[in-house]
Amino acid sequence: MKKLHGRGLILGLALAALLSSAALAATEQEVLNLIGQLPFSTADKAFLSTSYKKGMDEGRLAPDLAMDLLQKVGVQSNAPVDQRRDVLMTIGQALLEELPVDMLISKAEEGVAKGVPMSGILQEIQERKATLEQVKALFEQRGVHSNLTDRSSPYSQASIDAAITDVAGSLEDYVRGGNNPNDAPAVKAAVLNTLKLDGRLPTALVSAIDEHFSEIDLGTIAQAIATRIKNS
Amino acid sequence: MPELNDQELEDELRTGLNRCVQSQASRLVGLEERVLAELRSRHRPQRLSAPRPAFGLSRRLALATVALALVIFAGGLFAGMQVERLQSGLANKGTGVQFVIAYPEAQSVAVAGDFTNWDKRPLERGPDGVWRLWVQLPPGRYEYAFIVNGSRWLPDPRASQFVRSYGNDLNSVIYVGKGGETS
């Protein structure tokens, strides 16, 4: 009789867990199914599937956000197919490089909403991706890691990703706002102002960035942004 | 055999009974003790067994009911957690932010930004010609703009920060802090 009690309990809980996991898997699968329907080559769709799945599995890309992006850029847009593909693949490449992509997706959707030509959207997100790469490299060089990379770190991957996004975004805003990229103290002040106002970031993380990132570190990236914009 | 009257019959019965009792008298010795011992040997303490099904249900039916209740409970718990996760962008731990713009002559005003995936969300016009919308925002940084009459993009004149986007466009920026403060 005791065995019957135990088996009934285990069966009930296993059934509940199976139903729940099935619901979660369906959303990611919907994203992959939609990628499969896009008017791109087999190789391009395979790349998108691999990169977007990696992003979803690592928590950098929410399935509902992926669906929204794929619908707006891949399905509903009347822009040339190769430009739509390039926008989606730029974001896919960023996911493969383990970059936070919220800023790139937001800029792509903003561009679609405002009727910006897809070529302009592509240029915008390629420039911002380059900034994200430089900022991520700076985090690694200065030893500001997540607890996935460094078990002794108190910072979650989500916090580090938010910090990388804020640093890159504030540098872009500073330079695109017509401010002087050679004024390194002003560059760092602008970055810290954003970090302190963003409620997602732990205070200790903001302090660590202030301590480890020099004015020259951030000024160098600001100058690179200015160069990219000038050459575009 | 001569017939006995009632009294004689009663006497004969009493005599016969006494003779039987006398003949078995030895067997009566210690009878009380033997009966008590027998009763004690039959009254053994019983092990506690599983509780009896309530309300007269069979044990198997009760087990099935408990298992079903656990499945429903666990399933509901998981489903609730997933719904909460999906709604977290708007409802969880967020701050109510009111987007306001005075534009009495507008036919429609909407807001779009990071928190709407840049989809247009309509504001409501008050009798004073001021357009308003409440949105729940978790901590973070958000860019946004108003759209007047479906096509004219405007920054929020009340915003504390503006950023350039796509050339000459201006977006407004709002920050939501850890404690729900906005700036």
Side-chain angles (χ1 to χ4, degrees), chain B residues 42-58:
Chain B
R42 290 186 182 187
H43 179 71
R44 291 187 187 88
Q46 293 191 356
R47 284 183 305 172
L48 289 176
S49 59
R52 294 185 176 194
F55 312 117
L57 292 175
S58 71

Side-chain angles (χ1 to χ4, degrees), chain A residues 9 72 106-107 110 173 201, chain B residues 70 114 141 165-166 178:
Chain A
L9 194 63
K72 287 174 178 172
S106 184
K107 279 299 162 189
E110 178 191 351
D173 292 341
L201 304 183
Chain B
L70 282 170
D114 292 330
R141 175 192 179 279
S165 186
Y166 287 110
K178 294 180 186 61

Side-chain angles (χ1 to χ4, degrees), chain A residues 103-182:
Chain A
M103 179 171 66
L104 302 181
I105 294 176
S106 184
K107 279 299 162 189
E109 293 187 327
E110 178 191 351
V112 169
K114 291 181 174 179
V116 175
M118 197 59 68
S119 58
I121 294 174
L122 177 61
Q123 181 180 326
E124 179 85 15
I125 66 170
Q126 283 176 335
E127 289 171 356
R128 288 178 181 262
K129 177 175 171 289
T131 302
L132 284 168
E133 289 168 349
Q134 285 184 280
V135 170
K136 181 170 181 272
L138 183 60
F139 270 70
E140 290 167 355
Q141 289 161 12
R142 297 292 176 256
V144 182
H145 300 298
S146 75
N147 50 21
L148 291 181
T149 309
D150 175 3
R151 286 186 182 180
S152 65
S153 168
Y155 313 123
S156 66
Q157 188 61 59
S159 294
I160 294 295
D161 280 354
I164 291 173
T165 300
D166 277 356
V167 172
S170 59
L171 289 168
E172 288 276 345
D173 292 341
Y174 177 88
V175 175
R176 291 173 188 271
N179 299 294
N180 183 5
N182 300 315

